Amino acid sequence: MVSVLVVDDSVVVRRLIVDALSADPGIQVVGTAPNGKVALSKIDMLKPDIVTLDIEMPVMDGLTTIKEIRKVHPRLPVIMFSTLTSVGASATLEALASGASDYVTKPANVGSVSESIKSVREQIIPRIHALCRTGTPPRGAVRPAPRLAPPPPRAAAGAGAGAGTPDIVAVGCSTGGPDALAKVVNALPATFPVPVVVVQHMPQVFTKMFAERLDRSSPLKVVEAQGEMTLTPGTVYIAPGDYHLEVARRGTGVVTHLQQGPPENFCRPAVDVLFRSVAKAYGGSTLGLILTGMGQDGKRGSEALVSKGAEIVAQDEATSVVWGMPGAVAGAGLAHSILPLHEISQHLISRVAGGRMARSRG
């Protein structure tokens, strides 16, 4: 049984969340709090397995609260509740950078209480189970992890890791992804010689704010992708919320393409859609990277890449907030390397930039 503390200044929203969670027999709401100050005392008293935390509250808001929680409870999962606005997106990204585990958006423009409850239930229950999964190591736990996976069976002879220098890096991530992606991208040099295309599961507004935030902190240029943008080295292209991102060859270059086809793996944008298009445009000259995330989006796309001879890297379980997406890829034998987060950037530099230096000397 997963115990939950619900923190929100609105009586109506607290009731809505409690009702949404009551539908799951494996979840028990052990308490509620109207602000962060009360929540901190109740965490110590009730010792919940997970906390849902509103951002905008009197007395002590969500941003202050998550920072205080992390001082004492560095591994306690916390899910933020956010509004689908620029202000809400900015605050949510700040909360994630301060240690929040994940977030859900508050229902907007729904016609009834029952629809609001359904919206919250569909977003939050899978996240609670993913973050509190039995047998999953706590966030930040130190545990030896394998560095090398068995060679993917679908890779052609001589393909994959070490076979050649990648011409693009394609990244997929979800829960815990904003922080993980920031750590990877911020450690890459401004001279990184290939483009980076990214699907991070996020709604509209959030992806634009995320790209702008990452652009301010990274040596690379980071943009929210638009249609028909020519891919250039040293630039990171973030898939916009509610649009699938694809790449396609146009003459001597490669451009972005946005489309609103059906969601895949309940996601739009979806990693599988991006990876399939990258496999078609770049084939084996690709390095695919699967970071922390819930579900298994990216597994089929990785199959497509591996079939072309591409290299796949998965983040390890010990450093993932949720080892769903990378775990699915690793479990299927598709990952050439399974690395802790702090080693991924150097691996990319070695494979992409280092490979070009070696080639130029030759």
Side-chain angles (χ1 to χ4, degrees):
M1 181 71 71
V2 178
S3 59
V4 183
L5 174 66
V6 176
V7 185
D8 198 294
D9 64 308
S10 168
V11 175
V12 173
V13 174
R14 290 201 301 271
R15 183 74 260 167
L16 187 150
I17 297 171
V18 171
D19 289 346
L21 296 180
S22 66
D24 191 300
I27 294 175
Q28 178 184 15
V29 177
V30 293
T32 63
N35 59 63
K37 185 176 181 180
V38 174
L40 292 174
S41 63
K42 288 201 172 185
I43 288 171
D44 292 334
M45 179 175 61
L46 300 174
K47 295 178 169 42
D49 296 315
I50 192 166
V51 175
T52 71
L53 181 61
D54 187 26
I55 290 180
E56 299 178 11
M57 297 182 294
V59 184
M60 182 182 289
D61 64 17
L63 287 178
T64 304
T65 305
I66 185 61
K67 292 173 183 176
E68 291 299 315
I69 289 174
R70 285 294 170 250
K71 291 177 182 177
V72 184
H73 307 282
R75 299 175 183 175
L76 176 65
V78 178
I79 300 176
M80 308 302 296
F81 262 77
S82 171
T83 55
L84 196 57
T85 64
S86 295
V87 173
S90 179
T92 300
L93 292 171
E94 180 64 31
L96 292 172
S98 299
S101 310
D102 203 358
Y103 69 94
V104 298
T105 54
K106 290 184 176 181
N109 301 319
V110 292
S112 67
V113 173
S114 62
E115 289 178 5
S116 296
I117 292 173
K118 180 174 181 289
S119 174
V120 171
R121 183 170 62 241
E122 290 176 348
Q123 289 188 79
I124 198 169
I125 287 179
R127 286 169 167 82
I128 288 175
H129 284 299
L131 290 166
C132 299
R133 187 175 54 198
T134 302
T136 299
R139 184 178 183 182
V142 177
R143 189 172 80 183
R147 300 299 176 87
L148 296 177
R154 294 176 182 78
T165 304
D167 292 323
I168 190 170
V169 174
V171 186
C173 43
S174 184
T175 307
D179 183 58
L181 185 64
K183 284 183 169 62
V184 171
V185 171
N186 290 351
L188 298 178
T191 55
F192 197 67
V194 303
V196 180
V197 288
V198 178
V199 164
Q200 160 68 52
H201 295 156
M202 274 185 172
Q204 289 179 308
V205 182
F206 280 63
T207 49
K208 182 176 186 296
M209 302 291 292
F210 179 49
E212 292 173 352
R213 182 184 182 92
L214 199 53
D215 184 60
R216 290 192 295 269
S217 64
S218 171
L220 305 182
K221 180 180 180 181
V222 184
V223 298
E224 183 186 50
Q226 301 175 14
E228 303 302 311
M229 298 176 77
T230 299
L231 298 187
T232 59
T235 301
V236 181
Y237 301 84
I238 308 288
D242 203 35
Y243 284 87
H244 290 307
L245 171 63
E246 297 176 309
V247 299
R249 292 213 169 262
R250 294 283 189 275
T252 59
V254 180
V255 301
T256 60
H257 173 68
L258 303 181
Q259 50 102 338
Q260 286 189 299
E264 293 195 24
N265 308 299
F266 307 101
C267 301
R268 190 171 63 208
V271 180
D272 281 343
V273 174
L274 174 63
F275 277 22
R276 285 197 304 267
S277 73
V278 173
K280 185 176 180 180
Y282 286 90
S285 299
T286 304
L287 194 157
L289 172 61
I290 301 292
L291 297 174
T292 174
M294 186 172 66
Q296 59 177 13
D297 188 23
K299 176 174 172 288
R300 290 181 179 177
S302 294
E303 290 174 350
L305 284 170
V306 167
S307 72
K308 298 287 189 178
E311 175 184 354
I312 303 294
V313 175
Q315 184 178 349
D316 74 351
E317 183 174 3
T319 62
S320 294
V321 175
V322 176
W323 208 54
M325 289 166 52
V329 170
L334 295 166
H336 294 82
S337 303
I338 302 171
L339 300 176
L341 182 61
H342 66 273
E343 292 186 11
I344 290 175
S345 296
Q346 188 54 52
H347 181 80
L348 299 185
I349 294 168
S350 174
R351 290 287 294 116
V352 178
R356 277 171 171 72
M357 291 174 64
R359 189 165 62 186
S360 66
R361 286 195 299 268

